[in-house]
Amino acid sequence: MDAALLLNVEGIKKTILHWGTGELPNFITGARVTFHFRTLKCDDERTVIDDSKQVGHPMHIIIGNMFKLEVWEILLTSMRFSEVAEFWCDTIHTGVYPILSRSLRQMAEGKDPTEWHVHTCGLANMFAYHTLGYEDLDELQKEPQPLIFVIELLQVEAPSEYQRETWNLSKDEKMQAVPILHGEGNRLFKLGRYEEASTKYQEAIVCLRNLQVKEKPWEVQWLKLEKMINTLILNYCQCLLKKEEYYEVLAHTSDILRHHPGIAKAYYVRARAHAEVWNEAEAKADLEKVLELEPSMRKVVRRELSLLENRLEEKREEERLRCRNMLR
């Protein structure tokens, strides 16, 4: 089969290796496309750079979602189901491939929990590194070159046919999702399903963080989102307290208070974590700060102080008994 210019797009040539079936799928905005890919150099050996089949997972992208390597959307939307095609792409289309490849390799190595769903978040930060951590990718980064992509189209799903991840939602959809996720987290917490509740809070936080990065720090909209994020983080910390992950609670609450030292609930949650790891002075200092900021919480603070004293007395009694037994 002859190679031909693809859809009159400069710098792309397509060769069909295995004909697909049916008509072209409906690649509407928001559709999820699943495919296998192999990336090769244009050298005599056709050196393989990446191969999704070797990793054992197909690739997914969302149409219209500003995927890192935009040319892949052009390539995929020319394909039919089960088609296998080889695409030669000039340097103008492959410049960011080393960055994409680095992300995919790290995910495959278990260094990123997001599986093989790659989007533009953090792309600019990649340029701050002197090395991508892989010698072959550093070479491609320094000397961009044409690449060959062999792609097999596996599946195309409309937005209604799959569960969309929070990072994949539009701005309006994210804002609409946050109160739903927040409410679902609260419901699960009341039912004692703390692991599931913490997941809902985390999803809501991701939505808001993705919106916040597009705002100017410390301006009105940024601060509004920050307040919502802090509320969710503190709810998440309540789940962590139930799961006895006290040091993680200390880390999250301390981070909030470094930037926002006037949040009484953050001191309260941190005080409870301090108490659980026997940091008596720190717990009492945080509870005093709660009273200073929110005098209406006096009854709650007194209860926590009483619980702390009781636990400390029990611990001291255990120490006394241990010492007596050692002397005997």
Side-chain angles (χ1 to χ4, degrees):
M1 282 147 280
D2 295 328
L5 285 175
L6 170 64
L7 303 178
N8 295 319
V9 178
E10 181 184 358
I12 300 175
K13 294 179 182 179
K14 175 181 179 180
T15 304
I16 296 176
L17 305 179
H18 176 79
W19 290 94
T21 59
E23 300 297 321
L24 279 174
N26 191 11
F27 293 100
I28 62 173
T29 298
R32 181 169 70 175
V33 183
T34 304
F35 60 99
H36 273 301
F37 76 96
R38 186 165 68 252
T39 306
L40 308 98
K41 288 185 177 181
C42 296
D43 54 13
D44 293 338
E45 294 79 18
R46 289 171 60 93
T47 304
V48 176
I49 301 172
D50 294 301
D51 188 335
S52 64
K53 287 188 177 180
Q54 287 187 356
V55 173
H57 300 284
M59 184 75 181
H60 307 287
I61 71 168
I62 309 299
I63 297 297
N65 210 54
M66 295 191 300
F67 185 71
K68 281 182 181 179
L69 196 66
E70 293 180 13
V71 71
W72 272 5
E73 187 170 313
I74 298 172
L75 310 183
L76 287 163
T77 52
S78 77
M79 300 181 70
R80 290 172 167 78
F81 291 116
S82 301
E83 180 180 323
V84 180
E86 178 175 302
F87 299 89
W88 175 91
C89 295
D90 205 353
T91 309
I92 57 172
H93 299 294
T94 62
V96 298
Y97 183 78
I99 296 168
L100 169 65
S101 178
R102 177 187 189 271
S103 297
L104 298 180
R105 291 182 187 188
Q106 288 195 321
M107 292 174 192
E109 292 165 6
K111 296 179 182 178
D112 189 311
T114 321
E115 298 182 334
W116 279 59
H117 304 284
V118 183
H119 46 102
T120 55
C121 296
L123 176 59
N125 293 334
M126 302 298 296
F127 291 100
Y129 292 90
H130 296 296
T131 176
L132 295 173
Y134 302 91
E135 189 175 340
D136 60 334
L137 299 183
D138 285 338
E139 179 187 338
L140 280 177
Q141 181 88 322
K142 291 174 184 175
E143 298 181 16
Q145 56 190 269
L147 295 173
I148 295 169
F149 300 112
V150 179
I151 296 177
E152 177 184 359
L153 181 61
L154 301 175
Q155 188 177 30
V156 179
E157 299 165 280
S160 60
E161 295 175 337
Y162 67 94
Q163 185 173 352
R164 299 171 71 188
E165 296 181 61
T166 50
W167 63 262
N168 177 41
L169 302 177
S170 69
K171 179 179 178 180
D172 290 341
E173 288 172 331
K174 285 172 184 168
M175 285 304 296
Q176 292 166 8
V178 168
I180 296 171
L181 291 166
H182 192 166
E184 185 65 7
N186 292 346
R187 185 186 71 83
L188 291 165
F189 184 89
K190 289 175 183 176
L191 292 173
R193 293 158 63 178
Y194 305 119
E195 188 65 43
E196 295 170 77
S198 65
T199 298
K200 295 298 180 183
Y201 293 139
Q202 284 178 303
E203 288 182 32
I205 291 165
V206 168
C207 283
L208 292 172
R209 289 288 191 206
N210 286 341
L211 292 171
Q212 193 184 40
V213 295
K214 299 174 183 177
E215 303 294 337
K216 190 171 182 180
W218 303 104
E219 293 200 347
V220 174
Q221 185 60 24
W222 188 94
L223 287 169
K224 180 181 177 181
L225 294 168
E226 181 79 351
K227 184 177 180 180
M228 296 169 69
I229 289 167
N230 288 336
T231 298
L232 285 161
I233 290 174
L234 291 173
N235 285 7
Y236 174 66
C237 286
Q238 299 276 24
C239 296
L240 295 179
L241 285 172
K242 293 293 186 179
K243 296 192 293 178
E244 301 183 2
E245 297 177 20
Y246 306 122
Y247 289 102
E248 190 172 345
V249 174
L250 293 175
H252 286 302
T253 51
S254 295
D255 185 61
I256 289 176
L257 290 168
R258 269 193 296 274
H259 299 97
H260 307 281
I263 301 178
K265 186 178 178 180
Y267 284 106
Y268 174 71
V269 174
R270 189 171 72 173
R272 291 182 60 194
H274 275 308
E276 293 292 344
V277 294
W278 306 106
N279 294 339
E280 179 182 1
E282 291 86 350
K284 288 181 176 178
D286 278 349
L287 289 171
E288 288 174 7
K289 194 68 179 178
V290 172
L291 275 181
E292 178 187 322
L293 294 168
E294 291 286 347
S296 62
M297 292 184 68
R298 184 173 301 276
K299 187 175 180 180
V300 173
V301 169
R302 283 178 177 169
R303 184 190 67 204
E304 290 297 330
L305 285 170
S306 177
L307 288 171
L308 176 59
E309 288 298 334
N310 289 339
R311 291 183 68 244
L312 289 169
E313 181 57 36
E314 289 175 3
K315 185 182 180 185
R316 284 191 286 266
E317 182 61 27
E318 288 176 4
E319 289 295 326
R320 285 194 289 268
L321 289 172
R322 189 178 295 110
C323 289
R324 286 175 193 161
N325 290 334
M326 288 176 65
L327 289 172
R328 288 175 185 172

